[in-house]
Amino acid sequence: MMILAVMMVMTISANAMSYNAAKNEALFLSDKMAYELLRRPS
């Protein structure tokens, strides 16, 4: 059971986003949210 847990953690870590990919995704989403908020008529 413990070996299965260790294997799952290693697989999840291998598929994790790199720091730069996560940063780019966060910047894109924040820009998109700002655009959507400013686009709506008040």
Side-chain angles (χ1 to χ4, degrees):
M1 188 67 165
M2 192 66 176
I3 294 173
L4 181 60
V6 170
M7 287 175 59
M8 288 177 66
V9 168
M10 288 182 359
T11 302
I12 291 169
S13 297
N15 289 334
M17 281 206 260
S18 70
Y19 174 76
N20 283 334
K23 187 172 110 179
N24 287 337
E25 187 72 17
L27 287 172
F28 171 75
L29 290 174
S30 60
D31 286 348
K32 184 177 175 183
M33 286 190 296
Y35 171 76
E36 289 292 331
L37 287 172
L38 292 174
R39 193 173 66 116
R40 290 195 183 134
S42 299

